[in-house]
Amino acid sequence: MPPQYSPSLRLRLPLLAFLLETIFILLFVFFVKIDHHEQVHTKFDRKTFMRSYAEFQDVHVMIFMGFGFLATFLVRYGFSGSGFNMLVAAMSIQWAILMNGFLLPQRHYSREIYVNLKSLIEAELCAASALVAMGAVHGKTNPVQLQLLAMVEVTGFVVSQWILRTLLHADPLYSIMLLHIFGALFGVMVSWVLHREGIKPQHEKEKTDRRSGLFSMLGMLFLWMFWPSFNSALVYHWDRGLKLTVIYGTYLSLAVSVVIAMSISMLFSSKGKINMVHVQSSALSGGVAIGVAMTAVHAPWVAMMIGFCAALLSTLGFRYMKSHMLFAFECHDTCGVLNVHAIPGILGWLAHLLLQLTSTESTIAVQFAVHHIFVLLITVCMSMVMGTATGLFLKWSFWRSQQDRKCFDDQAFWEFPNLVEQK
């Protein structure tokens, strides 16, 4: 039953924000240092640093502008979609720096956490997993709940990486790219626990128009253009062959995804027209899939086939799965993260498995397959269990969830000068 009181967060949001920032600052005082070993004295070092900084900027634009504008597709949720994205990303990056430093230290002989471009990129990728999870509950949660969701999600994702790297000795580059699967399933489970009848079959404010759709398309373009940097940012510069392979493969996969997303959207439309929501989301599915499989993809045609299959499954999922998920499982996925991130991510995992098996001896293939399956099972189980627990925690009435009629509406949290009453 929806709450009957006003969803004012006057005390809760500032108190939580001040508390978290105070804790972060104190932890940074005692544990975090600037990495002065990242020398830029020689010409080679300066070139390496500038290339790393350019990739960092690309990922930075994706996190704050790409995901931010992409979430503005709801006609009355533009302020919240972009504003809460910035709030959650800023909080998540700080927490991810600390969590990565404590659990995944680069220098095992020191207790200090060193900040450099690599650690910042890793933190932003962890924040991306939180933003993916947030996409499933957009419009149905307040900023206090979103901050708490992000803190738990980043913690769970870093812990899952620690388990994969420590117990299964998984490749760090491969394990961090599982962020799409972890974040999507985490968010879907939170949305399932927080489900409310007031948004079924479709909330009256859950709609888009030409202006909001154009802003969302702008966010998609930022993500689409910079996704090669997103996938290749953590590949070492001295491994030039792998880095170029990842960049070119990601670009080709994304290019195919655009063509297939538009084609499938028109083919399965009752009026034979392209659905902009399908294009905004499914055009990115190739980048998600190739990101998980990138260390095993060495041929351009393989990258293109992965993009083809990812866009096909993603667009069909948007066309049919979202409504069926709501009716069959009472799970409302606002941004369709299951179709954009989870399904293409699992497709990329399967492609990685098959490609590795074809190039591995039969005696080792079974061991590799079992190892690969355990990596996925641990990721899926941890994301779903932690997502369910987080949903139960956020369901507590103390966090003041907005009323059903205030879902997908900026007026619950933002000032509008034309609506201010003089007192």
Side-chain angles (χ1 to χ4, degrees):
M1 184 175 180
Q4 300 300 319
Y5 43 74
S6 173
S8 175
L9 302 174
R10 182 189 296 270
L11 295 179
R12 287 164 177 78
L13 179 59
L15 179 62
L16 178 63
F18 278 113
L19 178 62
L20 289 176
E21 282 299 338
T22 301
I23 294 174
F24 292 163
I25 291 172
L26 290 175
L27 290 174
F28 269 71
V29 168
F30 292 104
F31 296 104
V32 181
K33 305 292 181 183
I34 299 295
D35 188 1
H36 295 291
H37 292 80
E38 195 173 36
Q39 301 290 341
V40 291
H41 297 313
T42 67
K43 183 177 180 181
F44 176 78
D45 290 333
R46 284 195 295 270
K47 287 183 177 180
T48 301
F49 177 83
M50 292 307 299
R51 285 196 293 265
S52 298
Y53 185 72
E55 292 172 339
F56 163 72
Q57 285 287 69
D58 290 350
V59 176
H60 202 57
V61 169
M62 290 179 66
I63 297 300
F64 287 94
M65 293 191 67
F67 280 102
F69 278 114
L70 187 65
T72 61
F73 66 97
L74 295 172
V75 65
R76 300 187 64 173
Y77 203 69
F79 281 18
S80 300
S82 57
F84 294 162
N85 177 89
M86 188 173 187
L87 173 67
V88 168
M91 282 287 189
S92 300
I93 290 170
Q94 298 172 68
W95 182 231
I97 291 174
L98 294 168
M99 287 297 299
N100 283 331
F102 288 133
L103 291 182
L104 306 172
Q106 300 298 320
R107 300 179 181 182
H108 297 280
Y109 58 83
S110 175
R111 294 183 179 180
E112 294 179 333
I113 300 171
Y114 290 92
V115 175
N116 51 35
L117 286 177
K118 183 175 182 294
S119 66
L120 290 179
I121 293 173
E122 288 180 340
E124 294 208 328
L125 293 180
C126 293
S129 68
L131 298 180
V132 169
M134 187 176 71
V137 296
H138 258 313
K140 302 167 291 184
T141 47
N142 61 45
V144 173
Q145 293 173 311
L146 291 177
Q147 287 189 70
L148 294 172
L149 178 149
M151 296 299 104
V152 178
E153 199 280 342
V154 169
T155 303
F157 179 60
V158 176
V159 170
S160 71
Q161 285 190 80
W162 178 83
I163 293 174
L164 295 179
R165 298 184 192 183
T166 304
L167 300 182
L168 299 182
H169 303 288
D171 178 25
L173 183 61
Y174 170 67
S175 65
I176 198 170
M177 282 302 161
L178 295 173
L179 67 91
H180 303 285
I181 301 174
F182 190 96
L185 294 179
F186 184 99
V188 167
M189 295 308 297
V190 173
S191 182
W192 175 66
V193 175
L194 295 180
H195 177 75
R196 53 179 71 187
E197 292 295 330
I199 60 174
K200 194 175 181 179
Q202 184 175 12
H203 195 278
E204 59 181 352
K205 297 177 183 177
E206 190 186 2
K207 55 186 178 181
T208 185
D209 63 4
R210 294 179 63 182
R211 179 183 59 83
S212 62
L214 185 60
F215 273 106
S216 184
M217 189 67 179
L218 178 64
M220 187 278 287
L221 290 174
F222 275 115
L223 292 171
W224 194 91
M225 289 188 300
F226 294 122
W227 208 286
S229 295
F230 187 87
N231 283 347
S232 66
L234 293 179
V235 179
Y236 291 110
H237 285 282
W238 57 78
D239 194 352
R240 189 173 181 84
L242 178 59
K243 200 170 190 71
L244 292 177
T245 300
V246 171
I247 292 173
Y248 300 151
T250 302
Y251 178 79
L252 292 172
S253 182
L254 287 167
V256 173
S257 295
V258 173
V259 178
I260 298 303
M262 289 193 180
S263 302
I264 297 299
S265 179
M266 176 175 286
L267 178 64
F268 287 90
S269 171
S270 59
K271 298 180 180 180
K273 297 182 179 181
I274 300 173
N275 188 316
M276 182 63 81
V277 175
H278 297 170
V279 177
Q280 291 166 355
S281 302
S282 299
L284 302 172
S285 60
V288 173
I290 195 68
V292 179
M294 61 185 181
T295 56
V297 177
H298 303 291
W301 71 269
V302 176
M304 297 172 74
M305 279 302 302
I306 291 175
F308 183 101
C309 296
L312 176 65
L313 293 176
S314 179
T315 309
L316 291 176
F318 266 100
R319 182 69 179 84
Y320 299 108
M321 184 181 293
K322 185 175 180 179
S323 57
H324 286 81
M325 286 285 292
L326 180 59
F327 286 109
F329 302 103
E330 294 189 337
C331 179
H332 180 270
D333 183 0
T334 304
C335 296
V337 297
L338 191 67
N339 303 310
V340 183
H341 297 275
I343 293 177
I346 294 173
L347 174 66
W349 170 88
L350 180 61
H352 187 277
L353 173 62
L354 296 178
L355 290 171
Q356 289 286 5
L357 290 179
T358 57
S359 60
T360 305
E361 297 180 2
S362 58
T363 55
I364 306 176
V366 175
Q367 296 179 358
F368 177 81
V370 173
H371 175 272
H372 209 62
I373 292 171
F374 269 104
V375 168
L376 181 64
L377 288 178
I378 290 175
T379 302
V380 170
C381 291
M382 283 199 63
S383 61
M384 296 182 73
V385 170
M386 294 197 69
T388 303
T390 303
L392 293 173
F393 176 63
L394 297 181
K395 207 169 185 178
W396 187 21
S397 60
F398 178 79
W399 308 121
R400 293 208 170 192
S401 300
Q402 62 263 51
Q403 303 168 19
D404 288 346
R405 61 187 178 85
K406 290 295 184 180
C407 289
F408 311 105
D409 195 335
D410 284 332
Q411 291 188 31
F413 311 109
W414 299 87
E415 288 186 0
F416 287 83
N418 60 311
L419 299 178
V420 173
E421 297 181 1
Q422 298 296 329
K423 296 184 179 179

